[in-house]
Amino acid sequence: MSFCIAIDGPAAAGKGTISKAVAKHFGFAHLDTGLLYRATGAKTFEGLTPIEAAESLTAKDLERDDLRSGDAGQAASRVAAVPEVRAALVDFQQAFARREGGAVLDGRDIGTVICPDAEVKLYVIASDEVRATRRHKELVAKGEDISLEAVLEDLRERDERDAARATAPLKPADDATVIDTTEMSIDEAVAQVIALIEARRG
Ligand code: DC
């Protein structure tokens, strides 16, 4: 039986951490769809066009160690605005969403485009300052030399581009539950989401 949990929201709102914990709790597979766009964006650094990069994407491309960088995030947001890039990545995501045994997908358009009939749809948000502080900590821990202000600017720029694009923009599905993690610890957010999913599963 399939069971799809769609988790969308702006950058660094806590989607990834919540998705991983939820997938582990229910024994579901997890797909971070941002990685597909980051890997596509990173391939353009080597001279490929965004469409060539998306159409030639392989599992190996997802193993690059530079995908979490700020540059890869910006490149991902740019290639993600190209409709042909999104089209090239749809089938893989939809097959993943409907795999046997359940799946958690996190991204920007999971509840609206990839899995509009998902059994559970969440839209995770947090204040800009809290999101920037969390992402800054992660990047510094990875050795990036970047200021909090630069991270905040980067997140806002990406969110604006992701929300303004014509194809599959960042926005909550009409039937999504909004979870604001600004004042929550990770454990609290995960516990709240698990309780909500358990209630839906009956
Ligand atoms: O989730 P992330 O920050 O790793 O995503 C990087 C970029 O990829 C994000 O700014 C927009 C794009 N993206 C998208 O357009 N659709 C998705 N489902 C996931 C990511």
Side-chain angles (χ1 to χ4, degrees):
M1 215 189 65
S2 72
F3 191 97
C4 177
I5 301 173
I7 304 188
D8 292 304
K15 302 184 301 288
T17 313
I18 293 174
S19 299
K20 276 192 212 100
V22 164
K24 190 164 175 227
H25 179 88
F26 290 102
F28 289 1
H30 170 230
L31 179 64
D32 168 3
T33 64
L35 265 194
L36 304 176
Y37 293 93
R38 284 173 180 267
T40 302
K43 286 179 81 160
T44 67
F45 299 155
E46 283 134 30
L48 272 71
T49 67
I51 299 173
E52 286 167 353
E55 289 179 346
S56 64
L57 203 68
T58 65
K60 196 137 191 36
D61 294 321
L62 304 180
E63 291 166 13
R64 294 173 63 130
D65 57 12
D66 59 350
L67 297 184
R68 295 281 167 208
S69 69
D71 286 349
Q74 281 291 349
S77 173
R78 279 194 290 270
V79 299
V82 180
E84 292 88 345
V85 165
R86 306 197 72 83
L89 303 175
V90 165
D91 286 353
F92 174 74
Q93 295 175 82
Q94 289 186 331
F96 193 99
R98 282 299 163 209
R99 65 196 280 152
E100 276 298 302
V104 182
L105 284 82
D106 73 271
R108 304 292 187 288
D109 63 339
I110 309 304
T112 50
V113 174
I114 299 299
C115 202
D117 57 352
E119 281 75 9
V120 178
K121 293 184 192 179
L122 305 176
Y123 193 79
V124 181
I125 58 169
S127 73
D128 291 2
E129 289 69 23
V130 163
R131 293 188 297 122
T133 304
R134 290 176 187 160
R135 181 52 50 90
H136 182 247
K137 244 190 210 163
E138 276 171 27
L139 292 173
V140 168
K142 286 204 176 76
E144 272 202 48
D145 179 18
I146 188 165
S147 69
L148 180 60
E149 292 67 34
V151 174
L152 181 61
E153 182 61 28
D154 174 81
L155 294 182
R156 284 184 171 149
E157 196 187 315
R158 272 205 291 140
D159 289 346
E160 273 168 30
R161 190 188 295 118
D162 295 344
R165 69 181 175 228
T167 309
L170 164 69
K171 66 169 182 192
D174 292 340
D175 52 350
T177 302
V178 177
I179 311 270
D180 186 342
T181 68
T182 305
E183 307 274 346
M184 284 187 215
S185 68
I186 292 300
D187 287 351
E188 284 167 341
V190 168
Q192 184 171 328
V193 168
I194 286 174
L196 191 146
I197 297 168
E198 267 166 356
R200 289 293 162 78
R201 288 182 97 199

